[in-house]
Amino acid sequence: MIAARFTAPLLGICLMASSTFAADPAPEKDLHSFSNPEHLRVKSLFLQLDVNFETRVLTGDAMLTIERVSADKTQPLVLDTRGLKVLSVTEIAGDDSVDAKFVLGKVDPILGQSLTIPIRANTTMVIVNYKTSPNASALQWLSPAQTAGKKKPYLFTQSEAIDARSWVPCQDTPAVRFTYKAAVKTPPGLLAVMSAGNDPEQKRTGEYSFEMNQPIPSYLLALAVGDIAFRKVGPRTGVYAEPSVVDKAAREFSDLEAMVKACEKLYGPYQWGRYDVLVMPPSFPFGGMENPRLTFFSPTIIAGDKSLVSVAAHELAHSWSGNLVTNATWRDFWLNEGFTVYIERRIMEEVYGKARADEEAVLGKQTLVKELAELPKSDQILHIDLKGRSPDSGLSDVPYEKGALFLKHLEGVYGREAFDKFLKSYFAHFAFHSITTATFAKYLDENLLRQGDPTQRAKANVDEWLYQPGIPAGAPNPTAPTFAAIEAQARDFLAGKTEAANLPAKKWSTQEWLHFFDSVPAKIGTDRMKDLDAAFSLTTSGNSEVLFQWLLLAVKNDYAPAYPRLESFLTEQGRRKFLQPLYEELVKTGDGKARAVAIYKKARPTYHPSATLSIDAIVGGKEK
Ligand code: BES
Ligand code: ZN
C-alpha cells in the first residue's frame, strides 16, 4: 500500500464541499479501506439480516444509498468486504432496477477483499445480497454453555477497527458517515439490540427494526442477539444484560445519569437520545466499546463496588470524542482515544472526586512510561505510521495515555477555563464530522494557541507532541496524595521492614492496590508472594484488574499456587488487555510456554476472533 495523499485535482473543489469537512486542510487517504469516497459516498444503509445460529451465518441485503461527489461519473462503487459471499448485486436508478456486475478483488490478509461494482452514472442505490462466513472476524457466535444463563445462544459484533466489512459490505473507513436502518430476524425468544434506537419495552417477537438517524462511521455498526433483559437506571439511561447479571449490572452503573450530566456540563449536550449499556458475555474482547446509544461492556468491569466504572466514563466520553468527532483514518486514532481518556478523567473527577481522578491519571502515566520503554520509536508517535500494518498494531497506551497527557498539558498551559471552552467549541464545530490530526492541529492553532501569548504557544510544543516519539520535556506529571503512603509501605515491605500481614492493605482501594503493584519490581520472590496471598487472598480476588496484576506477578515469580486461577481466568474471560500480557509473560520460559499452549488449547475456542488473531501470534499458531 502506498500512502497517497489526495492531491485535490483541479475539479476537487466541489468534491471537497460535500465529501470532506470544508476545514480539512489535507484529507489523507485511509490506507485501511479499498473504497473510493473521493468519488462516491454511501449516505445511508438499510440492512436486512437473518440470524442463523445453526449455520452461524448472517444472510441478507445491504441496500446502500449512494451519492457521486466527483465529476468523474464513470467511477465504479468500491466497497470493503472480508469473507463475504456475495450472491447478487442490484443497482437502482429511479424506477429502473437491474442486475449489476461485480468483481471481488484478491484477498489481502489485513484488508480483506474489495467489491467493485461498475455502476451507471445516475445510479443512486445498490443492493448487495450476501452471506457472512462462519468465522467472520467481527462476529462471535456463543454456544449456550458460553453464556451466563447456559440455555440460549448469543451473537455479538465488534466492528472497530476494520471488521465491519466482515458482516456488512460497506465503505469501511471512519472518514465516511452514513445513517442506517435495520430489520433483523432472530430465532424466537431472543432479543436483538443495535447501535441505534432501542426500545426498552421491546417484546421478544423475533423480528426487530432499528433506526440510527444520525450519520455514523462503519466501525460503530453493532448488533447483539441473546437472552437479554433490561433495567432502567435513569431517565435516559438503562442496562441490558443476561437476566442473571442485569440487577448487579444496574447497581454497578447506577451513576450513568450523573456521568452524562457531568459530561454535558463540560462539553455540551449529549446528542444521541438514550444512553444505554449492554453487559456482554465474558468473552467480549474489550473492556468496553462505544457503540452509539448502546455501549458494550465486558462483565469484568463489574467489581461490585464501582471501582472499575472509569471504563463506563470512558465509553460515555466517546459520545463526544469519537462518535461525534471521529478520527478520519486509523493513524488519527489518538483523536478518538486520547481525548476520551482525558474526558473520562474529567467525568471521574466530577462524579467521584479529584482524588480518584488523580489516582487514575497517575496509574495511566505509569503504564505509559512502562510501555514506552518497550515500544520502537516509530510507535511512540501520536500520528502513527500504519502503512502496511493493521490498525490493531497501533493499539498501545500511546494513543490513549500520551494523547490524554497532551491534552492535560494544553490544559496546564492555557488554564482549565480556556481549555474547557476550547474543547466545547471543538465538539460543536466538528460534530458529525471525521477529521485528521492536521485538521485538529489547525483548529487548535486558530482557536487556542493564537489566542494566547507566544510563550504559551512555544510551551504548548504541539509539533513535538503530535509528531515525535517519547514524552516531551515539560509534560504533566500527575500526582495523587493518597499514593505516597502506598509507595512507602511497598518500600518497607520490600526491605523486609514490614511483613505482608502488617500492611494496611485490607483498607486499600482498587487503585491503591494497582499502585502497589506498580511500586514493586517484577521479581519479588515466591516467599513474598505467598505471604501476600496468605494475608489478602489475592489469588481469589474478584476484582479483575487486581487479579490481572497479581497473576502477572505470579507468572513472573513462578508462584505455582496461582496457576489454577491463572488458567480459569484465561478461560473464563476473553478481554485482550488481560489475555495478551499474560500469554506474553508465560511464553518467556519453557515451562510457561508449555502452560500457555495447554491453556490456549482449551481457551481458544471460547475467544472472539480478534483475540485469537493476536494470541495465535504470541503462543505460536493455531492450537486446535
Ligand atoms: N474503542 C475502544 C475499543 C477498541 C479500540 C476496539 C480499537 C477496537 C479497536 C474502547 O473505547 C476502549 O478504549 N476500550 C478500553 C477501555 C478504556 C477504559 C481504556 C478497553 O477495552 O480496554
Ligand atoms: Zn476508547
Side-chain angles (χ1 to χ4, degrees):
M1 283 170 297
I2 301 159
R5 261 164 192 267
F6 290 159
T7 40
L10 284 178
L11 296 161
I13 310 296
C14 57
L15 172 166
M16 305 262 297
S18 84
S19 68
T20 55
F21 194 62
D24 202 331
E28 277 185 65
K29 172 90 184 117
D30 180 356
L31 301 175
H32 296 104
S33 172
F34 291 111
S35 68
N36 52 348
E38 69 276 29
H39 295 296
L40 281 147
R41 294 214 150 208
V42 170
K43 301 308 266 182
S44 68
L45 160 72
F46 179 41
L47 200 55
Q48 269 184 303
L49 288 176
D50 264 24
V51 181
N52 189 326
F53 282 95
E54 263 90 66
T55 55
R56 299 192 158 189
V57 164
L58 301 175
T59 311
D61 293 309
M63 301 184 197
L64 305 161
T65 307
I66 54 172
E67 218 174 79
R68 289 201 178 265
V69 293
S70 78
D72 182 354
K73 308 291 183 213
T74 65
Q75 287 289 325
L77 175 67
V78 184
L79 301 177
D80 294 294
T81 74
R82 181 184 289 129
L84 298 183
K85 186 165 173 56
V86 177
L87 304 169
S88 69
V89 179
T90 310
E91 56 167 312
I92 299 174
D95 294 337
D96 187 21
S97 142
V98 293
D99 274 358
K101 293 202 181 67
F102 60 88
V103 184
L104 276 166
K106 108 172 177 304
V107 176
D108 179 286
I110 297 171
L111 304 181
Q113 273 177 296
S114 59
L115 170 61
T116 303
I117 309 167
I119 51 171
R120 294 165 298 177
N122 59 346
T123 289
T124 53
M125 186 186 273
V126 165
I127 305 176
V128 183
N129 181 238
Y130 70 101
K131 281 178 192 303
T132 59
S133 148
N135 36 35
S137 56
L139 306 180
Q140 192 178 10
W141 299 86
L142 300 177
S143 66
Q146 289 172 273
T147 66
K150 312 280 179 217
K151 293 214 176 69
K152 293 181 178 162
Y154 202 105
L155 163 71
F156 68 83
T157 64
Q158 168 56 43
S159 298
E160 193 180 14
I162 56 168
D163 291 309
R165 63 191 69 180
S166 76
W167 68 289
V168 183
C170 61
Q171 294 185 313
D172 197 9
T173 166
V176 173
R177 318 175 73 95
F178 52 89
T179 57
Y180 83 88
K181 287 185 187 169
V184 178
K185 269 195 197 155
T186 75
L190 299 179
L191 182 69
V193 287
M194 288 192 85
S195 54
N198 292 284
D199 175 7
E201 311 280 324
Q202 176 68 52
K203 297 280 174 292
R204 297 183 187 201
T205 57
E207 294 197 14
Y208 305 97
S209 52
F210 302 93
E211 194 168 339
M212 170 49 96
N213 48 20
Q214 292 151 305
I216 59 159
S218 56
Y219 77 88
L220 295 176
L221 285 171
L223 167 70
V225 179
D227 186 8
I228 296 169
F230 177 81
R231 290 286 179 278
K232 187 175 166 182
V233 167
R236 56 181 157 171
T237 53
V239 174
Y240 290 89
E242 285 192 72
S244 65
V245 179
V246 74
D247 287 314
K248 192 173 181 211
R251 281 195 297 278
E252 198 79 358
F253 301 122
S254 62
D255 299 325
L256 284 180
E257 179 64 27
M259 288 185 180
V260 181
K261 284 214 178 87
C263 206
E264 287 188 306
K265 193 176 104 191
L266 290 167
Y267 308 116
Y270 176 77
Q271 303 232 24
W272 304 89
R274 293 191 59 83
Y275 181 69
D276 293 317
V277 304
L278 169 64
V279 178
M280 308 295 282
S283 66
F284 189 63
F286 292 97
M289 176 65 215
E290 66 271 27
N291 299 314
R293 300 188 191 178
L294 186 66
T295 283
F296 288 10
F297 281 137
S298 161
T300 61
I301 71 167
I302 302 177
D305 58 2
K306 299 187 182 178
S307 61
L308 304 179
V309 294
S310 61
V311 179
H314 179 97
E315 303 313 332
L316 168 68
H318 273 306
S319 307
W320 285 260
S321 46
N323 299 5
L324 208 53
V325 182
T326 307
N327 52 211
T329 80
W330 296 110
R331 71 179 304 198
D332 309 303
F333 183 56
W334 80 274
L335 286 177
N336 275 17
E337 299 300 342
F339 276 68
T340 297
V341 171
Y342 173 82
I343 296 175
E344 162 199 333
R345 301 219 169 107
R346 296 297 303 273
I347 297 174
M348 292 305 286
E349 181 176 332
E350 292 287 323
V351 180
Y352 300 96
K354 189 168 182 311
R356 170 87 170 261
D358 287 348
E359 289 178 350
E360 291 182 346
V362 172
L363 292 170
K365 181 151 185 203
Q366 266 166 345
T367 54
L368 173 64
V369 169
K370 276 192 195 161
E371 189 162 27
L372 286 176
E374 312 272 312
L375 281 178
K377 288 258 184 294
S378 53
D379 287 354
Q380 302 180 2
I381 296 172
L382 286 178
H383 191 236
I384 189 175
D385 184 3
L386 292 172
K387 206 183 308 159
R389 303 159 73 191
S390 152
D392 250 28
S393 63
L395 262 185
S396 75
D397 280 314
V398 171
Y400 287 83
E401 294 293 345
K402 184 178 170 182
L405 209 58
F406 173 39
L407 298 191
K408 186 93 194 142
H409 169 65
L410 292 174
E411 181 200 304
V413 174
Y414 290 93
R416 204 170 242 200
E417 203 184 317
F419 191 61
D420 284 356
K421 195 168 148 246
F422 165 76
L423 275 190
K424 192 171 182 173
S425 77
Y426 164 81
F427 289 123
H429 186 74
F430 292 111
F432 297 107
H433 287 278
S434 303
I435 66 165
T436 61
T437 299
T439 300
F440 163 72
K442 181 165 179 271
Y443 187 82
L444 176 71
D445 198 52
E446 287 166 1
N447 295 280
L448 189 66
L449 307 195
R450 288 183 188 281
Q451 311 291 319
D453 60 54
T455 30
Q456 282 175 307
R457 192 157 183 265
K459 255 200 206 153
N461 194 11
V462 172
D463 282 350
E464 185 179 351
W465 274 98
L466 293 180
Y467 305 112
Q468 297 299 320
I471 302 176
N477 199 17
T479 53
T482 45
F483 280 176
I486 303 292
E487 285 155 34
Q489 285 151 7
R491 264 198 309 275
D492 288 351
F493 169 64
L494 292 167
K497 285 194 211 154
T498 307
E499 306 223 338
N502 294 330
L503 289 169
K506 290 228 160 82
K507 286 194 239 118
W508 286 350
S509 67
T510 296
Q511 285 67 33
E512 287 172 316
W513 265 113
L514 296 178
H515 189 60
F516 175 77
F517 289 128
D518 271 337
S519 307
V520 301
K523 295 236 169 21
I524 63 168
T526 45
D527 285 346
R528 284 206 189 89
M529 292 294 292
K530 209 167 19 166
D531 293 348
L532 282 171
D533 210 7
F536 308 110
S537 309
L538 290 156
T539 299
T540 55
S541 170
N543 185 297
S544 64
E545 294 283 351
V546 170
L547 181 64
F548 166 60
Q549 292 301 335
W550 173 248
L551 292 175
L552 209 50
L553 207 56
V555 178
K556 289 177 184 164
N557 290 278
D558 197 18
Y559 176 62
Y563 288 155
R565 186 69 188 105
L566 172 69
E567 174 163 346
S568 64
F569 188 61
L570 289 174
T571 40
E572 285 164 8
Q573 58 79 38
R575 231 176 123 177
R576 284 168 50 178
K577 171 184 167 184
F578 295 154
L579 303 183
Q580 251 161 263
L582 285 169
Y583 280 111
E584 267 164 9
E585 202 51 51
L586 274 171
V587 299
K588 284 183 184 166
T589 68
D591 284 358
K593 173 89 196 254
R595 188 164 292 116
V597 169
I599 295 174
Y600 191 43
K601 193 172 173 176
K602 283 192 216 163
R604 190 177 189 277
T606 70
Y607 294 160
H608 184 273
S610 74
T612 57
L613 194 70
S614 55
I615 310 300
D616 280 353
I618 298 166
V619 182
K622 294 181 186 177
E623 299 296 333
K624 281 187 182 157

